[in-house]
Amino acid sequence: MCDKAAMASQAPSFDEITRLVEAAHTIAICAHTSPDGDALGSELALLELVESVWPDKHVSALLADDDVVPRIYAFLPGAERLVRACDYHGDPDLFVCVDLSQPDRLNDARVVLERSARVAVLDHHPANVPFWDAGVVRPAAAATGVIVAEYALHLGAGLTPTMAQNLLCALVTDTGRFQYQNANGEAFRVASALVDAGASPSDVSLHVYQSDRLSYLHLSATVMGRITTFEHGRIAYSYATTADLEANAVPVAECDGLVDIVRRVDGCEVALFLKEVPGGKVRGNLRAKSDRDISVVAREMGGGGHPAAAGFTVEGDIDHALAVVLPKLRALYACDEGTVPSSHSERR
């Protein structure tokens, strides 16, 4: 299932991570704030992997936020073991970051990282300044789940059906059901191996994509009705306010899929979805359907991500966020021959 070149390049770093695990007695594993399917699936698979290879270790799986597991991911094997970082008071020998390589995305778990003796990272997001003692950060991997699966292979550990199920959810969600540009050959080979190991694609599809609550569908209709395009239809955006979420009784954690509604617009190359979150902030999700690198915009907004999938969080309300981010998105087209700048920059 593996990419031989990737496995060869990762092997020394995998060995370094293994040495950290072997030297540790207590281990905390944590994914990023507002965890998605890749974050949770990879974290839970790594939890089981470490415990199966090193049964003498005391391993805890943390949630970065003071929140519950998002409803659509509660079916993942081992999800009931996730502990909110604010309720974890240990000083672990090793802290493992999963699906993130920027400590500021750890939210409540950052203080746990700072109390830890050593840090390891498994991630597929572009990294800035390394803060870890050992890690594998490979942006070419379609999902962090791919890297965790390859770490299991590196260790010579078999993939159990529950590990495979978690990793398949990681891979399916981060490739948008294999519709995004990152759905490469390695992703399909790993997916095939995971299904052979006992993962069920239909279970992932049922829980993640076919179990929307009626209130969520009503919110989706509101978001759909607000979609606005500019730059000749190449950029599309929509949004949800706190009032929208409250009126439909939809928690922020269930809103990540709304950006894909905006992404469906025919002719759209860049999709933006904004939602108000607690604390007077707005979280933005960006998706690209072309080769334009929207992670540049996300980084300018204090966030990050991949060229085709990125995000950011800013202080303020929807109007403020739009006023800041829309000119940056328009700037992506500033050098295009024949582009007629649009004057539309406010929500309606």
Side-chain angles (χ1 to χ4, degrees):
M1 75 173 179
C2 64
D3 182 309
K4 292 182 178 179
M7 285 294 290
S9 66
Q10 293 169 165
S13 295
F14 278 153
D15 287 337
E16 291 177 1
I17 293 172
T18 299
R19 285 192 284 271
L20 291 181
V21 173
E22 290 176 339
H25 179 62
T26 55
I27 301 170
I29 303 173
C30 191
H32 56 74
T33 181
S34 300
D36 54 15
D38 188 23
L40 293 171
S42 297
E43 178 178 356
L44 291 171
L46 183 62
L47 169 68
E48 184 178 349
L49 175 63
V50 172
E51 290 185 332
S52 66
V53 177
W54 296 280
D56 60 322
K57 307 298 181 185
H58 292 270
V59 190
S60 300
L62 308 183
L63 287 169
D65 305 314
D66 184 9
D67 204 348
V68 298
V69 175
R71 184 184 61 85
I72 60 174
Y73 300 122
F75 79 100
L76 291 173
E80 72 284 352
R81 291 193 56 188
L82 289 161
V83 177
R84 291 176 298 184
C86 58
D87 295 329
Y88 178 84
H89 304 294
D91 299 334
D93 300 319
L94 177 63
F95 187 100
V96 185
C97 297
V98 177
D99 201 35
L100 80 156
S101 49
Q102 296 183 42
D104 55 0
R105 298 198 67 209
L106 280 169
N107 201 8
D108 294 343
R110 183 161 185 172
V111 295
V112 181
L113 177 145
E114 293 170 351
R115 297 198 305 261
S116 304
R118 295 287 184 271
V119 177
V121 168
L122 293 171
D123 188 28
H124 73 134
H125 295 91
N128 295 323
V129 180
F131 61 92
W132 51 87
D133 299 288
V136 171
V137 177
R138 185 161 66 89
T144 298
V146 168
I147 299 173
V148 174
E150 291 173 348
Y151 185 43
L153 183 64
H154 177 82
L155 291 173
L159 289 170
T160 66
T162 48
M163 286 173 58
Q165 185 75 346
N166 282 322
L167 292 173
L168 184 65
C169 180
L171 186 51
V172 168
T173 54
D174 245 36
T175 59
R177 289 174 278 185
F178 301 98
Q179 298 177 89
Y180 297 162
Q181 295 95 317
N182 61 344
N184 53 24
E186 180 186 44
F188 283 97
R189 289 191 294 273
V190 171
S192 177
L194 295 174
V195 173
D196 288 344
S200 170
S202 61
D203 277 354
V204 174
S205 179
L206 174 64
H207 288 93
V208 178
Y209 300 110
Q210 299 176 31
S211 297
D212 291 332
R213 294 185 297 120
L214 187 59
S215 57
Y216 176 86
L217 295 176
H218 288 162
L219 176 62
S220 300
T222 298
V223 170
M224 190 177 298
R226 286 179 179 151
I227 294 176
T228 302
T229 65
F230 59 110
E231 293 299 335
H232 307 287
R234 293 179 295 184
I235 300 174
Y237 74 85
S238 189
Y239 60 90
T241 65
T242 298
D244 296 326
L245 301 182
E246 292 176 348
N248 291 283
V250 176
V252 172
E254 289 186 23
C255 294
D256 285 345
L258 293 173
V259 67
D260 288 321
I261 292 176
V262 185
R263 192 176 186 272
R264 295 177 198 168
V265 176
D266 184 29
C268 162
E269 297 178 357
V270 175
L272 166 68
F273 174 70
L274 298 170
K275 59 179 177 286
E276 292 180 341
V277 298
K281 298 179 181 180
V282 172
R283 187 168 297 146
N285 298 114
L286 286 164
R287 297 292 184 268
K289 294 161 65 175
S290 68
D291 59 357
R292 295 184 190 274
D293 185 356
I294 46 85
S295 69
V296 174
V297 174
R299 286 194 296 272
E300 289 179 358
M301 299 288 292
H306 304 282
F312 59 88
T313 301
V314 294
E315 302 278 349
D317 59 13
I318 295 290
D319 284 327
H320 171 72
L322 285 172
V324 176
V325 72
L326 290 184
K328 297 181 185 297
L329 293 177
R330 290 178 58 196
L332 295 175
Y333 293 89
C335 296
D336 286 9
E337 184 177 354
T339 294
V340 179
S342 168
S343 61
H344 181 70
S345 62
E346 297 181 356
R347 62 171 165 144
R348 65 182 185 187

